[in-house]
Amino acid sequence: MALFSDSLISPEVAKQIKEGYTIRPLHGGDYEKGFLDTLGSLTSVGPVSKQQFTERFNYIKARNDTYFTIVVEDLKSGKIIGAGSIIVERKFVGHIEDIVTAESARGLNLGLDCAEKNVPFYNKCGFVQKEVEMAWYIPENETIKAKL
């Protein structure tokens, strides 16, 4: 089950994905395909059970006009190697967030948000640094439900 319709991903964007990979909406079964492991390459995810993942997926899917998480899947391994989210706020802006590439897939030109050491690479590609990113992480010994 997909988070949103595949038709919302531009064919032009899909064509830019290298052969052997596909870009698509997050699926309910992506827990088993390593989605959270890939997300863990960006930030501390903490312990999330399959049930918690499914509950959160269903919550997001029920709000399918707000949250759009895409993934890049390695078709050979069946693993999620990249992800990103678009959050559409009901004002005049949206946010692209949580762009991540699994460490095993770095160098395939799939990422945006980066570590400080990668800034020169993105500058070379025409990106400019904007503002400062901040994060708050749920301590690993706490469950997600405790904070929601």
Side-chain angles (χ1 to χ4, degrees), residues 23 39 47 49 58 60 74 101 116 128 130 140:
I23 187 168
L39 196 56
S49 70
N58 290 335
I60 294 170
D74 178 334
T101 304
E116 189 74 31
V128 295
K130 182 178 184 287
E140 290 193 25

Side-chain angles (χ1 to χ4, degrees), residues 29 32 39 46 50 61 71 74 77-78 101 117 122 126 142 145:
E32 289 86 3
L39 196 56
K50 183 176 180 180
K61 184 166 178 53
V71 297
D74 178 334
S77 70
T101 304
K117 67 181 181 171
Y122 285 103
E142 295 184 36
K145 282 189 173 185

